[in-house]
Amino acid sequence: MREIEAFLVIAPPTFFDKEIKVKLESDYPLSIELLYVKVLQNHLGLYLNVLFTNELLLNPDLIIRTTGAPTKIISYENEIPYITIRNDFSTSDNKHLVQKIKEIMFGNNQN
């Protein structure tokens, strides 16, 4: 029983939620993109069970873009929903982004 209590203390609050696979598309250099993914993971991880991937082969549930146009030649816009965010993403944008992801993934009746 104590092991379960200890696990629940250290586990993130979203541990049992559905995992949402997210692919980031940006025109940043790879080092900046990796830092940006880390920032997004920290922001979104408090509210959603997100896993960031850079592979389309893992069938992401959502694409987050920092540019208005797709950065890849492959067209998958009809298959995978996407969100475009500003380059100057801040913590004030966090709640809006979380809400928009919940609407796309779970419907409009999410809080």
Side-chain angles (χ1 to χ4, degrees):
M1 185 65 170
R2 296 214 184 264
E3 293 85 8
I4 294 172
E5 291 174 353
F7 175 76
L8 292 175
V9 167
I10 62 170
T14 60
F15 184 80
F16 296 104
D17 292 348
K18 177 185 184 255
E19 182 178 74
I20 302 170
K21 290 179 279 196
V22 178
K23 181 180 183 323
L24 177 68
E25 282 191 358
S26 73
D27 52 359
Y28 299 140
L30 182 59
S31 58
I32 303 292
E33 187 172 307
L34 292 174
L35 287 172
Y36 201 76
V37 164
K38 187 174 182 175
V39 168
L40 280 174
Q41 177 75 44
N42 289 339
H43 284 290
L44 299 177
L46 297 173
Y47 307 99
L48 300 165
N49 186 6
V50 290
L51 168 70
F52 278 85
T53 177
N54 60 356
E55 293 291 331
L56 280 173
L57 298 176
L58 293 178
N59 297 324
D61 300 308
L62 179 69
I63 296 172
I64 294 179
R65 292 184 178 149
T66 59
T67 61
T71 58
K72 307 294 182 213
I73 302 213
I74 302 169
S75 178
Y76 42 78
E77 295 202 13
N78 294 332
E79 302 169 19
I80 303 172
Y82 69 92
I83 297 173
T84 303
I85 59 174
R86 299 186 329 234
N87 287 335
D88 60 343
F89 178 78
S90 66
T91 54
S92 63
D93 299 321
N94 191 34
K95 185 175 182 178
H96 177 69
L97 180 60
V98 168
Q99 186 63 36
K100 192 162 184 167
I101 291 172
K102 285 183 176 182
E103 287 175 8
I104 289 173
M105 300 308 301
F106 308 114
N108 291 332
N109 56 355
Q110 291 293 312
N111 294 331

